[in-house]
Amino acid sequence: MNFQEIKESIRAEMPVKRYEHTLGVEYTAACLAMRYGTDVEQARLAGLLHDCAKYIPASEKIRICEEQHLGVSAYERKNPELLHAKLGAYLAEMRYNIHDQEILSSIVWHTTGRPGMSLLEKIIFIADYMEPNRNHAPNLGEVRKIAFEDLDICLRKILEDMVIYLESSGFVTDPMTRETLEFYRSSL
Ligand code: DGI
Ligand code: FE
Ligand code: FE
């Protein structure tokens, strides 16, 4: 499949709103790749594919992750929505024939982040949060500006706001999200 064919297939798999978000992540990731001097096409492809597993039903998410030995933590079993990240990387490889490990790991870590993220992982995580169709997060204007100045400061700001949001909405924060925040707090 070429880029256009992947795009058509992704479009057919999701509601219009999610597809618009997907395009927003593709373009925002491209802009950040330009700013930080990394491969623009690679960033676009990662952005396009990052939520490709979003609409697999929760029980299926758990079933496929178990069958394919992708690992399902107790926390993920309670919050199967989180599995769309690692399952997305799996589908990107199996269904879309993407074998670029940098792209695949940027999809795996796009929801929780991880300590010591690669440049592409940071770009996809940040693009997912701030793409132009997102409008609920607090401090979006500030985040969008810092994203083009310093990726690590931007990550820390996003993670701080994300944890505040999750806890105030009654979610328990994923241990990995918390570890990522601690890492970017202490490494700056
Ligand atoms: O897939 P998107 O909506 O574009 O964004 P995402 O990949 O960041 O996923 C957001 C969803 O994941 C949203 O339903 C909240 C949830 N989420 C993200 N981090 C955590 C979390 N849910 C819990 N319970 N804990 C987390 O740390
Ligand atoms: Fe996502
Ligand atoms: Fe997303």
Side-chain angles (χ1 to χ4, degrees), residues 51-154:
D51 274 339
C52 71
K54 195 86 182 173
Y55 292 94
I56 295 176
S59 56
E60 279 282 287
K61 282 191 178 86
I62 295 173
R63 187 183 63 74
I64 304 170
C65 284
E66 280 176 340
E67 264 179 28
Q68 301 304 324
H69 308 290
L70 303 178
V72 180
S73 68
Y75 188 80
E76 289 168 333
R77 194 174 299 276
K78 269 195 231 147
N79 303 277
E81 165 68 13
L82 290 166
L83 292 171
H84 80 281
K86 61 176 97 169
L87 198 51
Y90 173 78
L91 289 184
E93 182 154 31
M94 296 302 163
R95 188 185 290 173
Y96 296 103
N97 262 311
I98 303 301
H99 303 294
D100 178 335
Q101 294 305 314
E102 292 180 10
I103 293 182
L104 298 178
S105 80
S106 73
I107 301 174
V108 169
W109 300 112
H110 87 264
T111 302
T112 61
R114 69 173 175 102
M117 296 167 91
S118 71
L119 177 55
L120 188 64
E121 287 167 1
K122 291 175 186 175
I123 286 175
I124 298 301
F125 183 90
I126 292 172
D128 187 32
Y129 189 87
M130 70 171 211
E131 62 91 7
N133 299 291
R134 294 279 210 206
N135 49 23
H136 293 307
N139 309 313
L140 262 181
E142 185 190 347
V143 165
R144 285 170 172 154
K145 182 166 180 285
I146 306 172
F148 291 92
E149 295 167 0
D150 188 309
L151 286 176
D152 290 345
I153 295 175
C154 184

Side-chain angles (χ1 to χ4, degrees), residues 4-22:
Q4 271 316 318
E5 288 166 339
I6 293 177
K7 208 164 198 172
E8 277 308 305
S9 172
I10 293 281
R11 187 164 73 92
E13 276 166 21
M14 46 181 67
V16 174
K17 280 270 170 236
R18 177 64 49 179
Y19 183 61
E20 284 172 359
H21 161 69
T22 294

Side-chain angles (χ1 to χ4, degrees), residues 176-188:
M176 185 55 77
T177 306
R178 195 159 279 290
E179 273 183 47
T180 310
L181 172 57
E182 290 313 320
F183 181 91
Y184 286 98
R185 260 189 190 146
S186 60
S187 73
L188 291 173

